[in-house]
Amino acid sequence: TGKLSESYAFQASARLADARDQAKAAAESSPGFGWAWVRWAELEFSLGNRREAEEALRRGLELLPGNAAGLALQGFLLAARNRVREAEAVFKRALERDGGLGNAWLGRGLCRIRRGDLSGGREDLLVAAAMEPQRSLLRSYLGKAFAEVSGLGTPALEGKARDELRLAKELDPGDPTPWLYSALMNQQENRINEAIDDLGESMARNDHRALYRSRLGLDQDRAVRGVNLANLFTDAGFQDLGVREATRAVNADYANASAHLFLANSYDALRDPRQINLRYETPWYSEYLLANLLAPVGAGSLSQTVAQNEYSKLFERDRLGWVSRTLWTGNGDWLQQVAQFGQFGNVAYALDGAYRSEVGQRENNDLEQRSISLTAKAQAGPDDSFFLQVSAFDAESGDVLQRYDPATAIRGLRIEERQEPLAHVGWHHAWRPGVHTLFLVSPWNATQSYNNPSNTVPWTLRNPDGQVELGQFSVVPLESYESRLTGVTAELQQLWQLDRHSVVAGLRTQHGSFDTTARLNVDDFSPDAPARSSTDPELERFSAYAYDQWEVVRGVLLTAGVSYDRLTQPRNFRTAPLTEGTETLERLLPKLGLTITPWKGGTLRGAWARSLGGVSFDQSFRLEPVQVAGFSQVYRGLIPESLLGSVAGQEMETIAVAWDQVFPTRTWLTVSAERLTSEASREIGGFVYGQNGIEGVTAFRQDLEFTERSLALTVGQLVGRELALTMRYRLAEAELEGNYAGVPADGAFERDERSVLSQWTLGARYHHAVGFFASWDSTWSHQSNYGDAAWMEGDSFWQHDVWVGWRFLQRRAEVAVGVLNLTDEDHRLHPLNDHRETYRDRTVAVSGRLAF
């Protein structure tokens, strides 16, 4: 009894591990003391140790088979294993023993809601609060249950929900739970500013749960709140701040699937829908795969179509659902996305389909894309889950490259791409809290084909001494090009979350081949030149990596990592005439990050990291961390594809610093500076002329170096209950240098161009509780070009985008009308600077969304 008393005293001092040890000592010193075993199990469960809790509870219930508190704990343990019906039956037994036990009513109510019986579950939560009216947690759950249906034909329940959450805040001012539920409810009711305020209060109270949660559990709670704050920032138009909060959530709890999913959605918003600029393809897909592998069944939809910030469900339960999103523009562009998903017990699935059709803004600028995917997740026990995704994609387009001058578009260029199919098979095992193993196998099969009437081929002239005298380019039409990529990726990753360390380590191997043929029309170039070439090179890659995130002291987070990459890639399978053979790159790549919180609301971050790109989309099938200290350290490639096409084997380096500050005036500020570099060496197919005509096919070695320096300032300000203002300034300088080894530097084979792009973006978001919303975004852009790009005159222009719309049914439905490029301002931007291509004419847009 004395040891058990000490256990409660330790818990009152937020020393959960010591409290558990004393309860364990009580049980071991008095093996027949049933309550000591139950108490031991309760504390193991609070620490997240389910196996130990189950074993101690089994012994406790053998001694006290009718103990209502022990039965209620058994119900929660069964529910944690997703054995909902068994848990409900055990809670019923607990209530038969003690009808006034609030925990038993709470547990049975949550089980009934999980099975889809929202009304019955709400009744049980109401009884729980009546049995123990002074418990803040029970009031929070009751308010949560009322809020879930307040917008579905029963608005009177909204007032009850708010009353319960208000009472919960009064009963326990330090409890973060009612503030979190209040934030989610406000988001559902389109009260975005109030939701952000409430979530800030919840985060400030996070550590007050130390009486019931371990340090790891508190970090997990902070991560959950960080993800929800990131969602709200997106609603308020604070996209940059949302990404920052999501990366902080990942750093707080790397195993948090929601944080990885939000990061995936954030990178997805930066992707080029035409899939020409592929910079963010790798971080997007890597985070998406991590999210789906880590997420337990029932954590949310597996659909790629359902973004987290669309609507927030306060309860997840067994059900069927579907989402439809449509966007139409006045020039004839069309986007349709649909998803049907469901979850039942230990199984969840999602079926996604998308269709995009763009007329284009210049000649031969059309695009048509179709995709479909089936994703499934199965829980094979309390600690194991399996993930499967099969997808297909096909696209056909003209010249969709970013062009400074629309008149320079290639009129006859046609491109087709097919991925049929891509697949992922994954396994996740949770050994104990904070210790996870992930395994992913991904076979791929894709085909790309195109023709290019304006294709250029380099050639050189050799003198009798064998020296190169001249280097030139000639237009040699490419009649046909087809490349089939097949291969497989396998990756094993281990995650350890310890007291002050979070360690991620893994191995990845890839093997594939490129079966490629190309045919040139050489009739007008040289009758002696070979027209057809083919190659079937192999791709092999082995990667090993380890990252350690160490909390040196409270407020100081150090990240150190290293990866070893050995990449064997084709010499030249992209440019005709093709050449056989492979080359190997072997690199040891360091990673270093530092995050310091020197004062309340302020964070200093810095990162330095190097990475090695792949050959094609093979590099996107990976689980290795993509960010260090909140900065992306991995890209599909940095060298602009609109200028040079896809460049394999890029060696990239990230150097970045940032200061984030939250002010009491509801103001958020981020200042960052970043330097990105990429170096690559590739071979370009060409011809060699001698004194007697063409001597043969060769490959010219092209060395490339790309550098991007940027400075960014982002400010977000909440005004009152309904208005959010944003201001973002970004100054970016991009420089590209290229030359061909062994060719005289006469200018034809050299490249040296630089562009400076300055952009101011001012935005406003208005949200009214009735569902009306409006947004205004104005961007001023100014670009100057130098070196080989100096002939492109600089451009300065404003672009204004306006949207108005209505959300209803707890954000499950939305309609909006917008005018893009309101002032009908045309523009010219050199694609050397990374930017999203916008409409060149005034365009009306209509969007709609349904989610049930």
Side-chain angles (χ1 to χ4, degrees):
T1 304
K3 294 181 185 300
L4 211 57
S5 299
E6 289 181 6
S7 172
Y8 283 105
F10 279 131
Q11 184 176 12
S13 302
R15 296 166 60 182
L16 279 188
D18 291 335
R20 183 268 316 276
D21 292 342
Q22 287 300 312
K24 180 180 179 181
E28 291 174 342
S29 61
S30 300
F33 187 14
W35 180 245
W37 290 94
V38 173
R39 170 66 176 167
W40 178 12
E42 173 189 297
L43 289 166
E44 292 285 11
F45 189 49
S46 293
L47 291 167
N49 303 321
R50 286 187 308 199
R51 286 194 183 90
E52 292 83 351
E54 288 170 347
E55 181 59 30
L57 184 60
R58 182 190 61 79
R59 177 63 175 153
L61 289 179
E62 286 177 356
L63 296 167
L64 298 174
N67 183 272
L71 289 170
L73 178 57
Q74 185 182 40
F76 283 113
L77 284 166
L78 287 168
R81 286 178 171 266
N82 226 19
R83 295 161 60 180
V84 179
R85 291 191 178 276
E86 295 177 57
E88 186 176 347
V90 172
F91 284 124
K92 183 179 179 181
R93 287 175 53 201
L95 290 173
E96 291 171 353
R97 295 288 181 174
D98 184 357
L101 184 61
N103 273 358
W105 287 105
L106 170 66
R108 195 178 78 164
L110 294 177
C111 286
R112 296 175 76 177
I113 290 172
R114 180 69 174 83
R115 291 193 296 102
D117 182 8
L118 188 58
S119 176
R122 190 172 66 249
E123 290 176 3
D124 281 355
L125 296 181
L126 185 61
V127 176
M131 292 296 100
E132 301 183 38
Q134 300 304 309
R135 281 186 64 188
S136 170
L137 183 66
L138 299 180
R139 295 289 181 180
S140 294
Y141 271 101
L142 181 57
K144 180 180 180 181
F146 282 138
E148 183 64 21
V149 293
S150 63
L152 299 176
T154 53
L157 294 181
E158 179 185 344
K160 292 185 177 181
R162 295 193 180 280
D163 287 343
E164 293 296 336
L165 293 175
R166 176 186 53 78
L167 183 56
K169 295 172 186 176
E170 293 174 355
L171 289 172
D172 187 354
D175 187 0
T177 309
W179 294 96
L180 172 63
Y181 294 160
S182 177
L184 295 177
M185 181 180 174
N186 281 327
Q187 185 181 25
Q188 286 187 162
E189 300 299 329
N190 217 41
R191 304 173 186 266
I192 305 302
N193 290 18
E194 295 173 68
I196 292 175
D197 291 339
D198 284 350
L199 202 51
E201 295 289 345
S202 179
M203 296 183 74
R205 291 165 169 78
N206 186 75
D207 287 355
H208 287 275
R209 293 284 293 168
L211 295 179
Y212 312 101
R213 300 282 280 168
S214 65
R215 181 75 258 166
L216 175 61
L218 293 173
D219 288 342
Q220 293 170 341
D221 293 343
R222 182 177 292 106
V224 170
R225 291 176 175 85
V227 174
N228 282 287
L229 183 59
N231 289 333
L232 289 166
F233 278 160
T234 300
D235 278 340
F238 302 171
Q239 281 83 1
D240 291 351
L241 303 176
V243 174
R244 183 199 70 183
E245 286 299 326
T247 56
R248 289 178 64 181
V250 169
N251 291 335
D253 176 21
Y254 190 81
N256 185 291
S258 297
H260 290 291
L261 183 57
F262 184 87
L263 268 184
N265 291 334
S266 301
Y267 286 124
D268 189 27
L270 298 173
R271 292 170 61 226
D272 178 7
R274 301 170 183 85
Q275 297 192 0
I276 295 299
N277 183 351
L278 299 174
R279 174 180 287 204
Y280 296 101
E281 194 84 8
T282 295
W284 159 66
Y285 207 58
S286 177
E287 290 291 338
Y288 170 73
L289 290 174
L290 262 175
N292 278 317
L293 279 173
L294 287 168
V297 174
S301 170
L302 294 169
S303 171
Q304 297 185 58
T305 305
V306 184
Q308 280 192 321
N309 61 320
E310 290 189 315
Y311 68 99
S312 298
K313 293 194 62 61
L314 294 175
F315 285 111
E316 270 298 342
R317 54 190 183 273
D318 288 352
R319 67 188 187 101
L320 291 171
W322 62 273
V323 170
S324 175
R325 182 187 295 119
T326 304
L327 175 65
W328 173 86
T329 63
N331 68 339
D333 292 350
W334 185 274
L335 171 65
Q336 180 67 56
Q337 295 175 304
V338 292
Q340 197 282 309
F341 57 91
Q343 59 183 61
F344 300 94
N346 291 322
V347 178
Y349 75 92
L351 181 64
D352 289 87
Y355 174 75
R356 177 187 295 273
S357 175
E358 293 186 2
V359 176
Q361 303 181 64
R362 59 177 187 259
E363 189 174 352
N364 192 35
N365 192 223
D366 60 295
L367 168 72
E368 190 172 20
Q369 296 174 339
R370 292 168 292 272
S371 66
I372 187 170
S373 68
L374 172 64
T375 307
K377 191 81 182 280
Q379 197 79 28
D383 304 316
D384 293 277
S385 62
F386 293 91
F387 166 72
L388 170 67
Q389 183 182 72
V390 181
S391 62
F393 170 84
D394 71 89
E396 182 177 350
S397 67
D399 183 358
V400 292
L401 299 174
Q402 291 183 335
R403 300 279 183 185
Y404 170 77
D405 183 357
T408 61
I410 304 174
R411 289 179 171 83
L413 177 64
R414 301 305 298 175
I415 304 173
E416 293 185 12
E417 182 178 356
R418 285 181 173 80
Q419 299 171 4
E420 45 185 8
L422 300 180
H424 303 288
V425 180
W427 167 65
H428 171 211
H429 180 78
W431 300 92
R432 60 182 178 82
V435 182
H436 305 263
T437 298
L438 304 177
F439 181 65
L440 181 70
V441 177
S442 305
W444 11 278
N445 184 353
T447 303
Q448 185 184 54
S449 60
Y450 64 90
N451 56 63
N452 182 2
S454 298
N455 180 68
T456 59
V457 175
W459 58 273
T460 60
L461 179 67
R462 296 186 188 274
N463 62 27
D465 297 329
Q467 300 299 316
V468 174
E469 291 187 339
L470 181 66
Q472 294 291 336
F473 289 93
S474 293
V475 175
V476 184
L478 180 62
E479 290 185 343
S480 64
Y481 172 93
E482 182 171 342
S483 180
R484 176 176 290 274
L485 167 60
T486 57
V488 64
T489 296
E491 184 166 357
L492 178 67
Q493 185 179 97
Q494 183 65 45
L495 167 64
W496 295 272
Q497 291 175 290
L498 308 174
D499 184 30
R500 292 185 176 273
H501 292 267
S502 181
V503 180
V504 181
L507 300 171
R508 180 171 65 256
T509 181
Q510 295 178 312
H511 181 80
S513 64
F514 297 84
D515 185 0
T516 309
T517 60
R519 183 176 182 83
L520 293 166
N521 184 349
V522 297
D523 294 343
D524 297 330
F525 175 64
S526 172
D528 299 325
R532 186 181 184 276
S533 57
S534 63
T535 182
D536 187 16
E538 291 190 346
L539 160 70
E540 290 187 354
R541 182 166 187 165
F542 174 77
S543 303
Y545 56 88
Y547 294 76
D548 182 13
Q549 184 176 274
W550 175 31
E551 187 180 32
V552 183
V553 295
R554 197 68 176 164
V556 178
L557 199 64
L558 176 65
T559 301
V562 65
S563 65
Y564 166 79
D565 278 284
R566 189 177 191 275
L567 172 65
T568 299
Q569 62 180 5
R571 287 177 55 199
N572 171 32
F573 76 100
R574 296 190 188 276
T575 61
L578 309 174
T579 50
E580 291 281 0
T582 60
E583 59 184 3
T584 299
L585 301 176
E586 191 171 15
R587 299 290 185 271
L588 192 65
L589 305 163
K591 330 278 183 177
L592 189 63
L594 181 63
T595 302
I596 303 175
T597 306
W599 52 77
K600 182 178 180 180
T603 304
L604 295 171
R605 297 181 287 125
W608 170 61
R610 290 179 175 173
S611 64
L612 179 65
V615 179
S616 184
F617 62 77
D618 54 279
Q619 62 189 305
S620 297
F621 299 163
R622 48 172 283 155
L623 303 177
E624 184 181 348
V626 302
Q627 58 88 25
V628 174
F631 299 100
S632 179
Q633 57 124 352
V634 175
Y635 301 92
R636 173 81 176 262
L638 292 172
I639 299 174
E641 287 87 348
S642 289
L643 296 177
L644 294 171
S646 183
V647 179
Q650 296 187 42
E651 299 178 44
M652 293 169 279
E653 182 181 61
T654 298
I655 301 176
V657 294
W659 170 42
D660 309 312
Q661 182 67 51
V662 181
F663 296 97
T665 54
R666 305 164 86 199
T667 306
W668 288 262
L669 169 70
T670 293
V671 182
S672 63
E674 196 168 27
R675 181 180 183 270
L676 304 176
T677 59
S678 177
E679 296 182 359
S681 181
R682 65 175 181 174
E683 290 191 357
I684 305 294
F687 299 107
V688 176
Y689 271 87
Q691 298 302 307
N692 299 316
I694 288 184
E695 294 181 346
V697 172
T698 188
F700 297 104
R701 175 65 60 175
Q702 185 183 32
D703 297 321
L704 299 167
E705 183 175 348
F706 174 82
T707 304
E708 179 182 279
R709 305 174 187 88
S710 63
L711 177 67
L713 167 68
T714 302
V715 180
Q717 177 68 56
L718 298 183
V719 180
R721 292 185 172 185
E722 297 160 351
L723 183 63
L725 304 176
T726 60
M727 186 276 289
R728 185 174 191 267
Y729 174 71
R730 186 172 188 267
L731 175 65
E733 178 192 49
E735 186 173 3
L736 176 63
E737 297 180 358
N739 62 77
Y740 286 78
V743 180
D746 62 352
F749 272 26
E750 282 195 327
R751 189 165 201 150
D752 186 2
E753 48 193 300
R754 183 168 63 93
S755 292
V756 179
L757 178 62
S758 176
Q759 288 185 314
W760 282 95
T761 300
L762 306 175
R765 299 288 186 278
Y766 178 81
H767 298 88
H768 195 279
V770 299
F772 174 79
F773 68 93
S775 68
W776 181 296
D777 291 289
S778 296
T779 300
W780 176 79
S781 302
H782 173 77
Q783 187 183 56
S784 301
N785 301 307
Y786 305 93
D788 294 342
W791 65 271
M792 304 180 193
E793 296 182 4
D795 200 359
S796 298
F797 61 94
W798 278 97
Q799 178 148 346
H800 310 282
D801 298 334
V802 183
W803 286 89
V804 295
W806 196 276
R807 296 190 183 108
F808 49 99
L809 296 178
Q810 291 185 321
R811 297 168 61 92
R812 290 174 171 84
E814 175 186 307
V815 292
V817 178
V819 180
L820 310 178
N821 195 0
L822 181 66
T823 55
D824 198 28
E825 185 80 20
D826 195 6
H827 60 272
R828 292 189 175 188
L829 289 177
H830 185 18
L832 183 60
N833 288 117
D834 180 52
H835 67 276
R836 292 294 298 271
E837 189 149 22
T838 56
Y839 283 94
R840 296 178 178 273
D841 305 300
R842 183 185 299 111
T843 305
V844 176
V846 180
S847 72
R849 180 178 54 80
L850 290 173
F852 286 96

